[in-house]
Amino acid sequence: MSKEQAQGLSELAQTVFSGVTNASRMQDKKLQQALKKLGIHPAQYGCLAVICAQEGITLSQLAERLQIENSTMSVSVRRMEKAGRIQRRADETDSRVSRLFATAYGRAQFEKSKKLIDAYVQQCFGAFSEKELSTFERLLRQLAAQMEGFAPAI
């Protein structure tokens, strides 16, 4: 590979990196604006989605599923509980374990949020063909694997 080719690859990689970063920021901004109208933080949407799909999940299981520290998850769960979106119930066989359940209010808020997010996803990806989406999804998985393997040399 010539010096010009290596430089071109580096510039292209920087452009792609910048594009991914900008798209991620835009997604965060737009989702935060949309969910704010419902009084839901994007992180709480993710929690509600999992709790609604897996009623009775424990806090530790939820944190592991969302790849969040237990202490951070505990704060989110406490806020959602205070807002009336979820409730904790003691495990039937082990009283030391509490299980998380969506309240009727929390489930209704999740359904409204899901419709909003589904419309956003349609807006973002509706013009792409299935083949394009499949290729994009494969490339994103590949990128995530590369990111996972990054270990900064300090």
Side-chain angles (χ1 to χ4, degrees):
M1 179 184 305
S2 72
K3 185 176 180 180
E4 292 80 20
Q5 287 173 318
Q7 182 63 30
L9 179 63
S10 178
E11 287 176 22
L12 180 57
Q14 287 292 334
T15 300
V16 171
F17 180 80
S18 180
V20 169
T21 301
N22 290 338
S24 179
R25 285 185 188 142
M26 179 64 71
Q27 175 180 309
D28 288 348
K29 179 181 175 182
K30 292 295 183 182
L31 288 178
Q32 196 166 24
Q33 288 172 345
L35 291 173
K36 187 176 183 178
K37 294 176 183 177
L38 297 173
I40 297 177
H41 187 277
Q44 290 182 0
Y45 172 81
C47 292
L48 272 175
V50 173
I51 293 168
C52 287
Q54 297 180 341
E55 291 278 344
I57 193 170
T58 66
L59 186 136
S60 296
Q61 291 168 331
L62 180 62
E64 183 179 332
R65 171 87 187 273
L66 296 174
Q67 299 180 354
I68 297 172
E69 295 292 324
N70 277 357
S71 57
T72 303
M73 183 57 64
S74 184
V75 172
S76 291
V77 164
R78 204 172 314 117
R79 286 180 181 155
M80 288 188 297
E81 192 174 25
K82 187 176 178 181
R85 293 183 181 107
I86 65 167
Q87 60 180 241
R88 297 181 209 224
R89 295 185 207 150
D91 185 272
E92 293 176 2
T93 58
D94 186 349
S95 60
R96 295 171 298 171
V97 176
S98 47
R99 302 209 169 262
L100 306 174
F101 297 86
T103 63
Y105 171 68
R107 189 167 290 283
Q109 278 205 309
F110 168 71
E111 292 301 327
K112 286 179 187 175
S113 315
K114 184 171 181 344
K115 286 179 184 174
L116 200 145
I117 288 176
D118 287 349
Y120 180 68
V121 170
Q122 179 62 34
Q123 171 71 32
C124 293
F125 297 105
F128 290 97
S129 70
E130 287 296 312
K131 184 177 180 182
E132 290 170 323
L133 288 173
S134 179
T135 299
F136 189 53
E137 190 268 339
R138 180 182 54 78
L139 291 170
L140 286 174
R141 275 189 286 117
Q142 187 177 345
L143 176 62
Q146 291 295 109
M147 294 168 120
E148 185 71 32
F150 177 70
I154 299 175

